[in-house]
Amino acid sequence: RRFARSWHSHPEPPGESTALILYTSGTTGLPTGVAMSHAGLAAGETICEHVPADDDCMAMLGAMNALGARIRAGRNGATMIAGAGNGCLLQSGAPLALNSPEDALLVAGLVAPHDMATRVQCAVGLNGDAVASLLAAFAAMGIQAEADGRDAIVFAGQATANPAIHDAGGWSDAAVAAVMLAALGTPGITRVGHLPRNPAGLAEIFVRFGAVIDIAATDRRWSLAVTGQTDIRAPADTRTQEDRA
């Protein structure tokens, strides 16, 4: 009872304050500590009301589950997704198999900045140009990855990932989104320039989850500045109409 009274007498900590510090394994260098905030630990579930029950979506949800996301069925056919903490992915015990090349690139971007040795594979093969662009971007960030045949990307796992400046001329939307995902898990500001299309729609999806992204336009070209390791959480408006998780 004395413990209970003492516990309840403490004020609620600020959301941005540090709750714990996690360290990478240090397999390729010194272990690196990443601070997690109370707000990140308390991040809620994202509700996707319309997730098609096709092979592509099921493969994507399966990959997210293998990475540590908790996925369950909600009311009225909705899919509830809760991350394993703020950016804390679990070690994947098996290759991550996807059916869609675009989904495979997104998952590659998701695992890229983390100290995780794994293989991301696409059943129908990957676009060689898109993979080459992505691997060059990862290399500039200090991320160890390489192509394995025409259908997979293999990550060696690394202790740290660093921000970089990327020239995205000719990149596909999936490649841009994959680098943005990698940037969110990387300390500092990652810049992506020479985008041929306005990325406002793509950036808005990330911003709804708490990402800090700045967009600039010059001579009909756009650039992004993504601030990594901000508190990513479920959006305040969980009634999202996005078709994909």
Side-chain angles (χ1 to χ4, degrees):
R1 286 196 298 270
R2 287 196 301 271
F3 174 80
R5 287 195 296 269
S6 173
W7 175 263
H8 288 295
S9 67
H10 289 285
E12 181 177 341
E16 68 277 7
S17 63
T18 299
L20 56 89
I21 299 177
L22 296 176
Y23 285 85
T24 59
S25 64
T27 52
T28 58
L30 293 175
T32 300
V34 178
M36 290 183 59
S37 69
H38 285 91
L41 287 175
E45 291 184 315
T46 297
I47 303 173
C48 298
E49 292 185 342
H50 304 289
V51 178
D54 57 28
D55 291 341
D56 284 348
C57 285
M58 293 303 102
M60 174 63 97
L61 292 175
M64 293 170 66
N65 183 68
L67 292 170
R70 299 181 299 279
I71 301 171
R72 64 184 181 87
R75 295 181 179 179
N76 300 320
T79 299
M80 318 288 287
I81 303 172
N86 187 18
C88 292
L89 305 181
L90 303 182
Q91 178 69 42
S92 176
L96 302 172
L98 284 303
N99 297 324
S100 160
E102 292 78 13
D103 287 352
L105 293 185
L106 291 177
V107 171
L110 185 63
V111 303
H114 298 277
D115 192 12
M116 178 188 296
T118 192
R119 188 173 190 267
V120 180
Q121 183 173 1
C122 179
V124 299
L126 295 169
N127 180 284
D129 292 338
V131 170
S133 298
L134 204 57
L135 291 178
F138 289 162
M141 300 169 76
I143 296 168
Q144 302 175 44
E146 62 181 19
D148 184 12
R150 298 181 179 180
D151 63 348
I153 298 174
V154 176
F155 292 89
Q158 67 287 314
T160 59
N162 304 302
I165 299 175
H166 306 287
D167 185 340
W171 285 14
S172 66
D173 289 344
V176 173
V179 171
M180 289 175 68
L181 280 170
L184 289 176
T186 303
I189 298 177
T190 297
R191 302 184 186 277
V192 183
H194 297 105
L195 293 166
R197 291 175 293 280
N198 189 340
L202 179 62
E204 191 272 337
I205 296 175
F206 288 88
V207 169
R208 286 169 57 193
F209 286 84
V212 178
I213 299 175
D214 294 320
I215 300 175
T218 305
D219 297 330
R220 297 184 180 180
R221 293 278 178 170
W222 288 265
S223 63
L224 288 167
V226 183
T227 301
Q229 304 224 339
T230 51
D231 285 329
I232 303 302
R233 66 196 68 181
D237 179 11
T238 56
R239 295 178 177 269
T240 176
Q241 296 295 323
E242 295 297 327
D243 286 338
R244 293 202 170 194

